[in-house]
Amino acid sequence: MRYIKYLAAVALVGTLAGCLNNDTERGLAGAAGGAVVADAFGGNALTGAVVGGAAGVFCDDAGICK
């Protein structure tokens, strides 16, 4: 059950990141999503925000959210 929530959150953030227009918007959405997911699963929200923000900024460079 724990993994289903995590996968749903990742899918939601990934879908949202694809709809945003620039790196700043994707980075902010990724940071917010990363903080929420990390906090929900007992992790460090700041670390989640950093990882999520980086994923949002670089997802178009990796060809994931073009």
Side-chain angles (χ1 to χ4, degrees):
M1 184 69 171
R2 179 176 179 180
Y3 294 107
I4 293 172
K5 290 180 184 179
Y6 178 70
L7 291 174
V10 168
L12 180 64
V13 170
T15 302
L16 178 63
C19 296
L20 300 173
N21 294 323
N22 58 41
D23 287 343
T24 303
E25 291 175 353
R26 286 188 294 272
L28 290 172
V36 169
V37 170
D39 190 49
F41 289 103
N44 185 334
L46 180 60
T47 302
V50 170
V51 172
V57 168
F58 295 113
C59 72
D60 64 330
D61 298 331
I64 297 170
C65 57
K66 286 189 175 187

